[in-house]
Amino acid sequence: MSVYQTPSCGHCEACSRGEFFNCTVIGSGQRLAQTTVHGSDADCLLVDQNLCFPLPDELSYEDAAIIACASGTAHHETSGNDGARVAVIDANSYHGRIVYVGWGGTAKNSTVGPMLGERCLTGSNMFTESDYYELIRLMHRTGLRFANLVTHRFPLSQAQEAFDLFAIGRTGKVMFTWD
């Protein structure tokens, strides 16, 4: 199973579209990996069934973890990288649609202003349920494996070392492993 990182009711209009991050019952902005929700770095985490997505046997837990965070969000049009946010405008066609996904960075797109050339700019902070399944199909079709992005693995007992290493910004994905 892969776990979606935002609690949701699973029944409101946003949840019925697979946009759990916009749940109108629980409220947007609540994430499993934050201080208001306990257990995201624990051996076990209790979540609602609607947040558990099936993982095909040919994919690893590392593939699923990256889909459920970095690749799912990036797949849903861009990233938090400032250069990419600005460059995507020029790379997009006239009347194209650009979606900024995720948080972070300091890109000042207001300098582009009327230069958008009739492009549509939309913001979104996470991926949808359908994006998850689309990425599973892409991996199945192409043989792409997100697990290849993992450069370091740590047991939970070395969590501080893992966080410190990742904070330097010179790693790929850093994962916790369980025995």
Side-chain angles (χ1 to χ4, degrees), residues 123-143:
S124 180
N125 63 0
M126 289 177 65
F127 69 102
T128 65
E129 182 177 16
S130 63
D131 290 328
Y132 175 82
Y133 292 107
E134 188 174 328
L135 282 169
I136 293 289
R137 287 189 298 274
L138 173 73
M139 293 173 72
H140 181 72
R141 193 174 59 248
T142 65

Side-chain angles (χ1 to χ4, degrees), residues 2-84:
S2 180
V3 178
Y4 194 82
Q5 69 255 34
T6 301
S8 70
C9 73
H11 304 289
C12 71
E13 185 177 346
C15 289
S16 69
R17 290 190 306 264
E19 297 175 2
F20 303 127
F21 55 89
N22 283 326
C23 179
T24 57
V25 175
I26 297 204
S28 63
Q30 296 296 314
R31 304 181 118 211
L32 296 178
Q34 65 181 199
T35 58
T36 60
V37 180
H38 300 289
S40 62
D41 287 336
D43 287 336
C44 296
L45 176 66
L46 181 62
V47 296
D48 290 326
Q49 179 179 352
N50 67 303
L51 299 178
C52 298
F53 298 160
L55 180 65
D57 290 339
E58 66 271 12
L59 299 181
S60 71
Y61 289 112
E62 291 174 339
D63 288 320
I66 295 173
I67 288 173
C69 187
S71 67
T73 301
H75 171 74
H76 193 74
E77 274 293 301
T78 189
S79 73
N81 179 285
D82 287 343

